[in-house]
């Protein structure tokens, strides 16, 4: 494995860093203060990222995307992670699930999304179904040429700015193995928000990622053309797997970028702040924290880049993605907390980015699979070959 950065990757990283510094970071304070990203700013960021050639970098070139391999994409996501998610997500990396589009879906959903003309969101979680996705009660019943959808989804990120939702709903059941209870069969549908019977409601106020909103979606006899079925009926988790692995890498890479920033703030403070007649970085109580922060960051970087390298080769397993997300998200919580401890009271003031990084880091151990789910995936990968 060779994770050294080549000239093309360096160019991508430099381009993204310049864009983040010029177009995103200057608006951080406004978003934190208001909890909103102004619509005109959303449009401005989208247009300028398209012009810079960094929009939809995860999509193949033949579809109009940037065609970045997963290792290069991970390096770019790390730079995006320097700023808040409410701003960086506008430079879209459309869900890889959309690669399952076929027939008319390509022209109606996939290509316009890659071009920035349409925006998607994804709906899995429900009030009664978080980690237990097969416990979802939202149903899509086939009636003639349509599916009729009923149920509720929540925690649906950026649904307020999306044109359509990639919806996961129960479409049937199958007998459980070894006498277990029947299992729900899940399918994926592309649902336009202007469909009668689809309602978007404000979600919850979150301590993490201000300006990046979650919504509640209600479906009341919403009729969705059967032609909008993504992939095969009852095989929604097959296409979901295309999304979960890549998104876990995105979360891990973003955490690396946030940790870079937190460590830089703490290091600068330790090198310049004086107490008891000397710079505080000379005290082992501070210098050892810096060493541990750097160590944990380096460990998470290797785990994340290894998974991205395997993904680029088509060899990444669910366990590889899970270990990357688990390592990076727990590292960021440690680094951001230690950074605040080094700065003391100033670390909690909103004049510096540490309290935001600390707050934002909390959700990373929950969404896209909790830390407990990641440990389950890893342990299952170890035990299954042994018949356990």
């Amino acid at each position: 494995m060779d994770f050294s950065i080549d000239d093309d990757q360096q160019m991508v990283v430099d381009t993204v860093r310049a864009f983040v510094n010029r177009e995103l970071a200057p608006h951080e304070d406004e978003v934190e203060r208001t909890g909103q990203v102004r619509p005109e700013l959303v449009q401005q960021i989208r247009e300028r990222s398209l012009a810079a050639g960094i929009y939809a970098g995860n999509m193949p070139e033949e579809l109009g995307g940037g065609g970045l391999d997963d290792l290069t994409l991970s390096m770019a996501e790390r730079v995006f992670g320097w700023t808040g998610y409410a701003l960086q997500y506008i430079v879209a990396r459309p869900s890889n699930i959309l690669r399952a589009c076929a027939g008319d879906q390509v022209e109606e959903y996939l290509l316009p999304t890659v071009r920035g003309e349409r925006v998607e969101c994804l709906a899995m979680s429900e009030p009664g179904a978080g980690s237990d996705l097969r416990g979802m009660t939202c149903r899509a019943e086939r009636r003639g040429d349509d599916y009729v959808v009923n149920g509720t989804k929540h925690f649906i990120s950026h649904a307020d700015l999306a044109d359509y939702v990639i919806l996961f709903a129960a479409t049937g059941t199958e007998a459980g193995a070894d006498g277990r209870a029947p299992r729900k069969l899940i399918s994926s549908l592309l649902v336009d928000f202007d469909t009668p019977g689809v309602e978007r409601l404000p979600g919850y106020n979150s301590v993490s990622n201000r300006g990046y909103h979650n919504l509640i979606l209600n479906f009341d006899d919403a009729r969705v053309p059967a032609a909008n079925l993504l992939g095969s009926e009852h095989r929604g988790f097959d296409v979901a797997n295309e999304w979960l692995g890549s998104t876990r890498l995105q979360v891990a890479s973003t955490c690396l970028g946030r940790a870079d920033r937190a460590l830089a703030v703490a290091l600068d403070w330790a090198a310049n702040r004086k107490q008891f007649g000397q710079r505080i970085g000379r005290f082992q109580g501070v210098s050892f924290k810096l060493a541990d922060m750097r160590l944990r960051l380096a460990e998470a970087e290797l785990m994340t880049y290894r998974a991205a390298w395997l993904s680029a080769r088509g060899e990444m397993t669910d366990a590889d993605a899970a270990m990357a997300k688990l390592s990076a998200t727990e590292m960021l919580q440690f680094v951001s907390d230690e950074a605040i401890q080094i700065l003391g009271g100033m670390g909690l003031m909103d004049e510096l980015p540490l309290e935001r990084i600390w707050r934002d880091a909390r959700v990373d151990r929950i969404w896209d699979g909790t830390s407990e789910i990641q440990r389950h995936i890893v342990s299952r990968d170890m035990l299954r070959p042994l018949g356990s």
Side-chain angles (χ1 to χ4, degrees):
M1 289 179 285
D2 181 7
F3 301 148
S4 60
I5 191 166
D6 62 30
D7 290 344
D8 289 340
Q9 290 170 330
Q10 188 64 58
M11 181 179 67
V12 171
V13 168
D14 290 345
T15 299
V16 173
R17 180 174 290 114
F19 186 88
V20 168
N21 290 336
R22 183 180 65 251
E23 304 293 349
L24 304 184
H27 304 290
E28 288 177 339
D29 290 344
E30 176 189 341
V31 174
E32 285 297 304
R33 185 178 67 255
T34 66
Q36 304 286 335
V37 184
R38 291 175 283 110
E40 59 271 24
L41 180 56
V42 172
Q43 187 63 28
Q44 174 182 297
I45 291 171
R46 184 172 295 138
E47 290 176 353
R48 292 182 180 178
S49 61
L50 283 161
I54 59 175
Y55 196 91
N58 63 313
M59 285 293 175
E61 289 183 281
E62 59 267 26
L63 296 176
L68 299 182
D69 67 86
D70 287 334
L71 181 54
T72 306
L73 187 64
S74 186
M75 294 174 180
E77 296 287 2
R78 182 176 187 167
V79 180
F80 276 122
W82 188 267
T83 191
Y85 210 72
L87 290 163
Q88 62 138 306
Y89 91 93
I90 300 169
V91 187
R93 281 77 82 201
S95 174
N96 282 334
I97 285 183
L98 291 173
R99 298 192 198 188
C101 285
D104 292 341
Q105 296 172 353
V106 174
E107 292 292 338
E108 189 172 353
Y109 295 97
L110 174 57
L111 295 182
T113 304
V114 173
R115 293 193 296 261
E117 298 165 1
R118 305 196 74 185
V119 175
E120 94 288 3
C121 63
L122 189 141
M124 281 191 177
S125 296
E126 298 180 5
S131 295
D132 178 19
L133 289 175
R134 288 195 184 271
M136 65 178 63
T137 58
C138 183
R139 295 189 56 82
E141 180 184 350
R142 181 69 182 263
R143 296 182 191 173
D145 293 332
D146 296 326
Y147 285 94
V148 178
V149 183
N150 286 281
T152 297
K153 297 288 183 179
H154 77 164
F155 295 154
I156 311 307
S157 299
H158 71 267
D160 51 335
L161 298 181
D163 304 288
Y164 67 97
V165 57
I166 304 169
L167 172 71
F168 287 81
T171 49
T173 58
E174 65 178 354
D178 300 325
R180 296 178 182 176
R183 296 198 322 159
K184 290 180 181 177
L185 297 170
I186 308 299
S187 299
S188 178
L189 295 165
L190 300 165
V191 183
D192 294 304
F193 276 133
D194 60 3
T195 301
V198 179
E199 181 184 29
R200 284 182 283 187
L201 296 174
Y204 316 99
N205 292 323
S206 174
V207 68
S208 298
N209 297 318
R210 288 175 181 164
Y212 184 67
H213 301 142
N214 68 86
L215 271 70
I216 297 168
L217 306 182
N218 286 329
F219 300 88
D220 182 11
D221 284 341
R223 300 189 74 92
V224 180
N228 284 24
L229 178 70
L230 194 59
S232 302
E233 188 177 52
H234 307 324
R235 304 303 295 268
F237 284 142
D238 288 351
V239 293
N241 286 336
E242 284 289 320
W243 172 74
L244 288 173
S246 62
T247 304
R248 284 169 181 162
L249 277 181
Q250 180 182 358
V251 172
S253 302
T254 299
C255 286
L256 297 181
R258 291 180 182 175
D260 286 335
R261 189 172 185 181
L263 180 53
V265 172
L267 183 60
D268 180 71
W269 187 269
N272 293 287
R273 169 77 165 172
K274 288 185 177 181
Q275 291 286 279
F276 304 102
Q278 61 180 327
R279 290 177 173 83
I280 65 172
R282 292 184 177 272
F283 295 110
Q284 287 185 345
V286 172
S287 63
F288 282 10
K289 288 182 185 297
L290 293 171
D292 287 339
M293 292 159 72
R294 182 177 180 180
L295 174 64
R296 292 283 295 270
L297 176 54
E299 290 171 344
E301 176 188 82
L302 288 172
M303 190 72 74
T304 301
Y305 284 176
R306 174 184 176 273
W309 177 79
L310 288 169
S311 182
R313 294 162 58 92
E315 299 173 4
M316 184 182 73
T317 66
D318 290 344
D320 293 323
M323 287 189 291
K325 181 181 185 291
L326 183 62
S327 175
T329 56
E330 297 200 345
M331 172 278 298
L332 178 58
Q333 196 67 48
F334 172 81
V335 168
S336 61
D337 192 73
E338 290 289 73
I340 287 174
Q341 195 69 20
I342 289 172
L343 270 74
M346 278 305 301
L348 291 170
M349 302 300 112
D350 60 15
E351 282 79 6
L352 295 171
L354 291 182
E355 61 88 21
R356 172 178 63 78
I357 294 172
W358 183 58
R359 283 186 289 102
D360 291 353
R362 191 59 188 89
V363 75
D364 291 319
R365 290 184 287 147
I366 297 174
W367 62 7
D368 298 309
T370 64
S371 291
E372 290 74 21
I373 288 295
Q374 308 310 317
R375 287 183 166 90
H376 170 70
I377 292 170
V378 174
S379 61
R380 183 183 61 190
D381 186 71
M382 298 165 67
L383 290 168
R384 275 186 173 173
L386 303 177
S388 177

